[in-house]
């Protein structure tokens, strides 16, 4: 298994996958590659060894870098007579666009698949199952074998994943900032504010939808419903 990119997602995947696969890690930034390899235990390699050693290569690079990274590696693989499947986890670039880059020329015939993660890297690092979306139904078996216990692979609209992740991130940041502001205004100690966000707020989100039999949660849901009912229609006069 090859992983290209040592950002947050690439590093988490390297750490999670190395127990199931002989995982090699590559990044054009030599310093970042060395540090990521030390943290994850994955073996750092250069691009030629990556395309020779890996049957599948996960692209975990920033959107602006994805086209050049794929084209470089696919051409390198073709030159070495190898044909790894390149699997894009880049939510900001359509898989069809990447596939078109290698449809002709020296890298023609390169397999490019999409596997877009609905996830946040810290949650993934802590073992919270994620959903991965692919439009490549014919390769579901391969993609599910790769993700394994990381989560569930579903066939669907890959292009929707970026917007979903952005909306969820925005809502989460707003909730955290609102809670921190409310508790700080009430004089709550900073250590308690941090724990309220990282444990109570995050834990409640992980437990969503709530169990209907939990009386504590039920009382808060009733309180929220009452607050919504009390809001004036059309806003304040």
């Amino acid at each position: 298994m090859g992983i290209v990119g040592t950002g947050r997602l690439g590093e988490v995947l390297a750490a999670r996958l190395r127990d199931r696969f002989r995982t090699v890690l590559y990044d054009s930034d030599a310093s970042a590659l060395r540090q990521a390899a030390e943290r994850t235990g994955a073996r750092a390699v250069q691009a030629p060894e990556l395309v020779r050693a890996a049957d599948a290569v996960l692209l975990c690079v920033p959107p602006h870098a994805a086209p050049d990274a794929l084209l470089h590696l696919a051409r390198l693989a073709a030159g070495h007579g190898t044909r790894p499947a390149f699997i894009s986890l880049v939510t900001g670039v359509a898989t069809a666009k990447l596939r078109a880059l290698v449809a002709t020329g020296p890298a023609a015939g390169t397999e490019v698949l999409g596997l877009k993660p609905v996830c946040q890297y810290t949650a993934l690092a802590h073992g919270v199952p994620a959903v991965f979306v692919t439009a490549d139904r014919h390769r579901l078996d391969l993609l599910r074998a790769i993700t394994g216990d990381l989560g569930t692979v579903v066939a669907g609209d890959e292009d929707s994943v970026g917007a979903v992740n952005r909306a969820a991130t925005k809502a989460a940041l707003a909730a955290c900032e609102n809670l921190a502001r409310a508790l700080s205004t009430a004089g709550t100690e900073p250590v308690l504010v941090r724990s309220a966000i990282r444990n109570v707020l995050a834990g409640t989100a992980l437990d969503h939808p709530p169990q209907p039999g939990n009386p504590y949660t039920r009382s808060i849901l009733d309180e929220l419903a009452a607050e919504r009912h009390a809001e004036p229609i059309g806003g304040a006069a």
Side-chain angles (χ1 to χ4, degrees):
M1 176 64 59
I3 297 175
V4 179
T6 57
R8 294 171 296 190
L9 180 60
E11 189 168 314
V12 167
L13 289 174
R16 293 286 307 272
L17 293 176
R18 72 180 184 85
D19 291 335
R20 291 195 295 115
F21 301 100
R22 287 185 294 179
T23 302
V24 293
L25 189 60
Y26 167 70
D27 196 295
S28 58
D29 184 327
S31 177
L33 175 60
R34 182 180 64 256
Q35 294 175 35
E38 291 173 354
R39 287 190 292 262
T40 64
R43 186 163 62 91
V45 297
Q46 295 304 305
E49 185 174 356
L50 174 85
V51 298
R52 288 196 302 265
D55 293 327
V57 175
L58 304 182
L59 292 176
C60 304
V61 297
H64 71 272
D68 286 345
L70 171 64
L71 198 55
H72 170 65
L73 292 170
R75 287 175 173 172
L76 195 60
H80 284 281
T82 58
R83 290 291 184 183
F86 289 92
I87 302 170
S88 173
L89 287 88
V90 185
T91 57
V93 180
T95 304
K97 178 179 178 180
L98 296 178
R99 193 175 288 127
L101 287 175
V102 294
T104 59
T110 299
E111 184 175 28
V112 181
L113 306 172
L115 187 66
K116 304 306 175 76
V118 182
C119 76
Q120 194 270 355
Y121 72 99
T122 303
L124 194 64
H126 284 82
V128 179
V131 170
F132 298 83
V133 182
T134 183
D136 297 303
R137 298 172 183 269
H138 65 293
R139 296 295 264 160
L140 280 172
D141 287 347
L142 169 66
L143 298 175
R144 285 170 176 164
I146 289 172
T147 55
D149 62 355
L150 296 178
T152 303
V153 179
V154 299
D157 179 12
E158 295 180 11
D159 294 336
S160 69
V161 173
V164 169
N165 285 345
R166 186 173 183 82
T169 302
K170 184 177 180 179
L173 290 173
C176 291
E177 290 178 359
N178 289 339
L179 177 59
R181 188 180 303 111
L183 292 177
S184 298
T185 300
T188 306
E189 295 181 15
V191 65
L192 301 184
V193 174
R194 183 168 176 78
S195 185
I197 292 171
R198 293 172 59 87
N199 189 302
V200 183
L201 190 153
T204 301
L206 287 174
D207 200 37
H208 191 272
Q211 294 295 324
N214 184 324
Y216 177 68
T217 305
R218 183 70 260 167
S219 69
I220 294 177
L221 288 171
D222 290 343
E223 183 179 333
L224 287 171
E227 290 173 358
R228 285 194 294 268
H229 183 73
E231 291 177 357
I233 298 176

